[in-house]
Amino acid sequence: SDMGWTIDKAKQFAPRIGITYQLDPKTVIRAGYGRSFDTGVFGSIFGHTVTQNIPVLANQQINEPGGSTACEFNLGPGSDPRCVQNGVTQQGPPAYVFPAVPANGLLPNPGYGVSTATRQNPLTFPSVDAWNLSAQRALTPTLALTLAYVANKGTHTLGDGDGNTTNPNEAALSLPGAYSVTGQTLNWDANGPKGVLPAGYSGGVSNGSFLQRYYGGKLAACSDPTYVTPTGEPNITAGMCGWEPGVNARYDSQNTEFDAMQVTLAKQLTKGLAITGNYQWAAAFGDTTGYWTWSHSVPHLRDSNVRNQQISGYGSYDLPFGKGKQFVPDANRATDLIIGGFQLSGTANWSGGLPFTVGYDDFLPSAAGTPLDEDCSHSTGGTAAPCVPNVHGHMKTSLTKFDPASKSRSFFTAQPRSGGVFSWPGLDTIGNEGQNNYRGPKFFTSDLGLTKAFTVWENVAVKFRMDAYNAFNHINASNPGNGDAFGSVSTPTGSPAGIINSEANGCVGSTCGPRQMEFSLRVQF
């Protein structure tokens, strides 16, 4: 039985169209649009969600009686004569028993005891709409210039840093009464109650479970006659779900956007030289999973993997030495074997920094040593909401030189708690700074290659190659490891703000790390 699961066929239309127009003998204009579909990641459409749920899959963790390692591990229901503690033969732990499947094929969801995986109905495939417009001009018979606008829009796909899952049971800053255990609106307050709440209570709580949809809220599964209301939760009454574990909504539900202007200058192979240069300005946005089920605007941010500007180049050059070349064209065989057959090749990339978020997970000690309530734990700590400050201007960033003592570099200076660029947004408030609004250190890398090719006999050719990855041994700094804007200004013994002590990830066109040399020899016959 498919249990009523369907696919929205109306959204399976995938058109493709391309247009080319030759404006004059040296100029061509091109445009195109297309839609593509994907089956999703980790079985978000097929398979994985079904196979990772009970009763198909169940994980059982069993501790030996009394915590002693002297007892043998026994899954039998009876006593184990080999396991005796304090003169008493211990009973073996019970093995997991799969629940009986009702006639309708639907099991009541024990979401209070397991992390449930879900998927949407009807199923919607991730889609990407892509379009472009370009103009290409031949400047010379071997030199062409291209200007292009390239863009795409991802719908029902992965977001920024997405593990292909959102959590509908994440804690809110302010939970509507329809979901709360008291029937009244509840909000986060680190100084509020966290135990039993009186009937009709409204206000701040310091227990994040009280702010989850399906703790005091209801679902059809929780009203099933066979559903067992969880015990040990005094706030939960019949009909409430009582779920504290998260719900893994394993369907691709988020959106992305990408826009770029690209300028390309390409030199075709002429007298042994071919080279291409490209400049790109790009803007990319996506969603993050945290707090997405409560707000689609708060977790919408600049894509963490896209640099706003990039200049790249690559090419090759056959050195003009040896028989038939510009220099020493009449070289004999011995001379040609020594000076001929060399080729240089290389790539280079200069890029802007990657986006990062400035937070404020710190507090300012008072004169008496008591912390003020101006940190993440007091503003948004027990919820899924991001911890970002209010901003008044823009913080200056600049990469310092390497400090051999601390083995680190700095990218920004810790800000004052008051009177500076940032300030505490207040209780239950997400700061207006947003996320990923700062960019880290710039990026540069270059690879070089030298090839020597020659013929030994008519049917035997030899090619020697030397490659230098990160040829100039330039170490690229990562984004600051501590996103706290206040850092050591707030806590002199804590982690300083803006410190970088690791190398950048995501190298383009080369191996990350210090320069690496690779040598190879190929004999072809």
Side-chain angles (χ1 to χ4, degrees):
S1 172
D2 64 8
M3 294 186 291
W5 290 85
T6 62
I7 294 177
D8 191 343
K9 295 182 180 180
K11 295 185 178 180
Q12 301 303 297
F13 181 56
R16 302 289 179 91
I17 184 172
I19 300 173
T20 302
Y21 179 70
Q22 185 172 348
L23 192 63
D24 58 47
K26 293 184 178 181
T27 308
V28 175
I29 298 176
R30 299 181 178 89
Y33 165 80
R35 171 174 290 182
S36 302
F37 290 95
D38 189 50
T39 59
V41 177
F42 292 114
S44 53
I45 299 298
F46 299 107
H48 192 72
T49 300
V50 175
T51 60
Q52 298 298 303
N53 269 325
I54 60 171
V56 180
L57 176 68
N59 297 323
Q60 185 177 18
Q61 179 177 327
I62 299 175
N63 299 320
E64 292 187 89
S68 171
T69 58
C71 295
E72 297 292 334
F73 194 74
N74 175 29
L75 289 179
S79 60
D80 187 343
R82 296 169 296 177
C83 184
V84 179
Q85 291 183 349
N86 300 323
V88 179
T89 302
Q90 299 295 321
Q91 192 79 3
Y96 179 77
V97 178
F98 289 118
V101 180
N104 64 3
L106 299 177
L107 293 170
N109 194 331
Y112 61 87
V114 299
S115 294
T116 303
T118 68
R119 62 177 182 174
Q120 66 202 132
N121 186 25
L123 296 175
T124 302
F125 285 88
S127 63
V128 175
D129 293 275
W131 57 94
N132 61 77
L133 173 64
S134 67
Q136 186 177 40
R137 173 77 176 180
L139 304 180
T140 72
T142 61
L143 184 64
L145 175 66
T146 303
L147 302 177
Y149 165 64
V150 178
N152 62 61
K153 169 68 170 64
T155 306
H156 299 121
T157 183
L158 300 182
D160 186 326
D162 194 324
N164 89 297
T165 175
T166 55
N167 177 17
N169 204 31
E170 60 187 350
L173 281 174
S174 179
L175 184 73
Y179 295 110
S180 77
V181 293
T182 65
Q184 301 297 319
T185 300
L186 301 177
N187 64 279
W188 168 256
D189 186 347
N191 298 315
K194 62 180 178 180
V196 179
L197 298 178
Y201 174 81
S202 177
V205 295
S206 58
N207 186 339
S209 297
F210 296 162
L211 301 173
Q212 295 176 281
R213 278 188 183 89
Y214 303 130
Y215 182 75
K218 301 179 181 181
L219 288 171
C222 307
S223 300
D224 190 286
T226 59
Y227 181 78
V228 179
T229 302
T231 59
E233 298 291 338
N235 294 286
I236 302 303
T237 58
M240 296 181 182
C241 289
W243 293 3
E244 291 184 280
V247 176
N248 297 321
R250 286 190 177 129
Y251 49 86
D252 306 317
S253 55
Q254 299 172 26
N255 300 316
T256 61
E257 307 103 50
F258 176 83
D259 293 273
M261 179 192 73
Q262 299 175 349
V263 181
T264 303
L265 191 63
K267 172 70 174 178
Q268 298 178 13
L269 186 65
T270 306
K271 295 183 179 180
L273 176 64
I275 188 169
T276 298
N278 178 272
Y279 168 78
Q280 174 177 278
W281 174 88
F285 294 85
D287 298 335
T288 58
T289 57
Y291 213 65
W292 188 86
T293 64
W294 289 109
S295 169
H296 290 186
S297 60
V298 169
H300 191 71
L301 43 71
R302 295 185 183 276
D303 194 293
S304 302
N305 303 293
V306 177
R307 302 176 186 273
N308 59 341
Q309 297 191 74
Q310 176 175 295
I311 299 175
S312 60
Y314 59 90
S316 63
Y317 181 49
D318 296 331
L319 271 63
F321 302 102
K323 190 174 181 63
K325 298 295 180 69
Q326 183 179 358
F327 300 103
V328 199
D330 299 324
N332 56 36
R333 177 170 175 75
T335 302
D336 187 55
L337 286 174
I338 297 173
I339 67 172
F342 282 97
Q343 182 189 71
L344 287 174
S345 60
T347 65
N349 182 286
W350 296 267
S351 301
L354 291 174
F356 71 94
T357 299
V358 174
Y360 64 99
D361 194 12
D362 212 341
F363 57 83
L364 178 65
S366 68
T370 302
L372 298 177
D373 294 346
E374 294 186 2
D375 60 3
C376 289
S377 64
H378 286 84
S379 59
T380 61
T383 72
C387 177
V388 292
N390 278 341
V391 63
H392 317 277
H394 191 80
M395 178 178 64
K396 293 183 179 180
T397 59
S398 179
L399 186 64
T400 63
K401 293 183 178 180
F402 178 75
D403 183 351
S406 63
K407 296 181 174 57
S408 65
R409 306 170 80 175
S410 176
F411 192 60
F412 62 84
T413 303
Q415 300 296 299
R417 173 60 72 172
S418 61
V421 173
F422 301 107
S423 64
W424 186 60
L427 179 66
D428 291 339
T429 303
I430 301 172
N432 63 11
E433 163 57 24
Q435 302 179 81
N436 276 2
N437 283 336
Y438 280 84
R439 291 191 176 272
K442 295 179 175 59
F443 181 90
F444 169 76
T445 188
S446 180
D447 302 336
L448 295 176
L450 176 64
T451 302
K452 165 67 174 175
F454 57 91
T455 301
V456 180
W457 293 290
E458 182 178 353
N459 296 323
V460 180
V462 177
K463 179 179 287 187
F464 171 78
R465 184 178 180 91
M466 178 183 68
D467 291 285
Y469 300 101
N470 191 6
F472 297 101
N473 203 31
H474 178 78
I475 303 302
N476 291 286
S478 68
N479 282 350
N482 181 5
D484 183 3
F486 305 116
S488 57
V489 167
S490 305
T491 54
T493 59
S495 300
I499 293 299
I500 297 174
N501 52 22
S502 61
E503 184 186 357
N505 294 322
C507 294
V508 181
S510 71
T511 302
C512 292
R515 177 173 51 235
Q516 297 185 30
M517 305 292 290
E518 182 177 282
F519 301 88
S520 62
L521 180 68
R522 172 175 175 153
V523 179
Q524 183 172 316
F525 56 90

